[in-house]
Amino acid sequence: MKNTLLGSLYLSLAASIWGGMYVVVKVVVDIVPPLELVWLRYVIALLALLIIGAITKQSWRVAKRDWLLIVLIGLIGNTISIVTQEVGTMLSTAQMGAIITSTTPAFMVLFARIILKEKITAKKAISIVLATIGVCVIVGNAQIETSNQLGGVSLIIAALTWSLMSVLVKRVPGQYSQIVVTSYSILVAVAFLTPFTLRGLTKIDFQAIMQPSIWGGLLYLGVISTACGFLLWNRGLQKLNASSGGLFFFFQPIVGTFLGWLLLGEQIGLSFWMGTTLIFIGVLLVIREDKPQEETRSMLN
């Protein structure tokens, strides 16, 4: 049960951190274009992870047979998914981003079934349905305009690729520290993105970046949202089934809506609390289902 609770805590924290990301991106992307924004947040995150790795004296050695998996995680999740997410957020609305990316858990269940052969139990199915209904209740008033369709397509690609990456993380051998795996996957993303961002970086208004809201946003996106968020998410997935872990992604719209009320003065009503309750019920069902599985593993060990 300890692994289940720790995994649930890590995933909840990661999704909650990302809940505030859409508001920050909407502010920063006006100054830093999406592709360059992803590159900058990764460079900041990589520096933070290298410092953490040095302090904790990590072993950075990875077996040759495992490099392909780490490269795929970096390319699919850290590159394609995050770039399409930033583009989608820029072309649409923060609320639309919350709606579409909340389909991630459903995609994770499918990928976990195909790649990891995880069973889709009745409780998992009910949990996803309850949480999905909860998200729809929370953001049910969203107005999706035709002009936002390209952003919507981009966000769907982001959800698909993030789901695939999250399942691939489960294939990484447990002998490797998540600090090391996350650092290398981010390094892969930086290597892929650098050729496409060099010209754009020279055109950025660095005087505008010195505004507290912009450099503060970059630090949040790099250190908190990327370095800490990815670490927590990957570590949480190692302790739960991929199909169960994906359900915690639903905390994103809860936190995003709450921060919109707290920081931006947006109104929330009964629908927010009803949706939140449904999401929590879905998450609790997953925790209760993973409990006997954890106890069985402990007995076998």
Side-chain angles (χ1 to χ4, degrees):
M1 187 58 181
K2 181 180 178 181
N3 279 344
T4 299
L5 291 176
L6 281 176
S8 301
L9 176 62
Y10 293 151
L11 294 172
S12 299
L13 286 173
S16 297
I17 287 171
W18 294 333
M21 181 179 62
Y22 292 101
V23 176
V24 177
V25 168
K26 290 296 288 185
V27 173
V28 178
V29 82
D30 288 336
I31 304 298
V32 184
L35 200 59
E36 288 73 19
L37 175 57
V38 174
W39 188 88
L40 283 173
R41 65 182 281 194
Y42 277 160
V43 169
I44 294 170
L46 190 57
L47 290 174
L49 288 169
L50 290 176
I51 293 172
I52 295 172
I55 293 173
T56 55
K57 298 180 180 179
Q58 298 291 326
S59 172
W60 298 91
R61 182 173 296 179
V62 174
K64 290 182 180 179
R65 65 178 180 275
D66 298 321
W67 272 111
L68 177 59
L69 182 58
I70 291 176
V71 170
L72 286 174
I73 290 171
L75 176 61
I76 295 171
N78 299 60
T79 307
I80 298 175
S81 182
I82 301 302
V83 169
T84 51
Q85 178 181 282
E86 306 286 19
V87 172
T89 303
M90 181 186 69
L91 295 177
S92 61
T93 64
Q95 193 175 45
M96 184 176 178
I99 296 172
I100 296 177
T101 54
S102 65
T103 61
T104 296
F107 291 137
M108 283 182 65
V109 169
L110 295 177
F111 283 128
R113 175 60 182 164
I114 295 169
I115 298 173
L116 304 177
K117 309 303 180 185
E118 291 184 4
K119 294 182 179 179
I120 303 177
T121 64
K123 279 190 177 181
K124 287 179 183 177
I126 293 171
S127 297
I128 292 172
V129 170
L130 285 174
T132 303
I133 293 173
V135 170
C136 292
V137 170
I138 291 174
V139 295
N141 294 323
Q143 298 293 324
I144 300 178
E145 300 176 0
T146 305
S147 59
N148 292 332
Q149 287 182 352
L150 184 59
V153 171
S154 186
L155 288 167
I156 290 173
I157 295 172
L160 276 167
T161 48
W162 185 262
S163 304
L164 178 57
M165 183 277 292
S166 296
V167 173
L168 290 177
V169 166
K170 293 286 292 181
R171 301 291 296 271
V172 176
Q175 69 201 51
Y176 301 126
S177 163
Q178 286 304 321
I179 295 174
V180 173
V181 174
T182 305
S183 297
Y184 280 139
S185 62
I186 288 178
L187 181 61
V188 169
V190 171
F192 273 110
L193 291 173
T194 297
F196 302 99
T197 57
L198 289 176
R199 180 176 295 182
L201 288 169
T202 61
K203 299 179 181 180
I204 294 176
D205 184 356
F206 285 94
Q207 186 175 357
I209 288 181
M210 296 310 295
Q211 300 175 33
S213 61
I214 304 302
W215 63 258
L218 287 173
L219 285 178
Y220 177 88
L221 292 172
V223 178
I224 307 300
S225 178
T226 305
C228 296
F230 283 12
L231 275 178
L232 290 167
W233 184 257
N234 291 347
R235 185 164 294 178
L237 287 174
Q238 290 292 335
K239 296 182 179 296
L240 291 176
N241 291 332
S243 53
S244 299
L247 195 64
F248 291 85
F249 204 81
F250 284 113
F251 280 104
Q252 261 196 182
I254 293 177
V255 175
T257 304
F258 177 75
L259 289 178
W261 167 76
L262 183 66
L263 301 177
L264 304 178
E266 297 177 355
Q267 297 298 312
I268 60 174
L270 181 61
S271 60
F272 173 78
W273 302 112
M274 290 175 59
T276 300
T277 301
L278 289 171
I279 291 171
F280 273 113
I281 292 172
V283 169
L284 287 174
L285 283 174
V286 163
I287 294 175
R288 289 178 62 85
E289 181 179 53
D290 279 345
K291 179 178 179 180
Q293 295 176 8
E294 180 64 30
E295 290 174 347
T296 302
R297 286 195 293 266
S298 298
M299 292 173 63
L300 292 174
N301 292 332

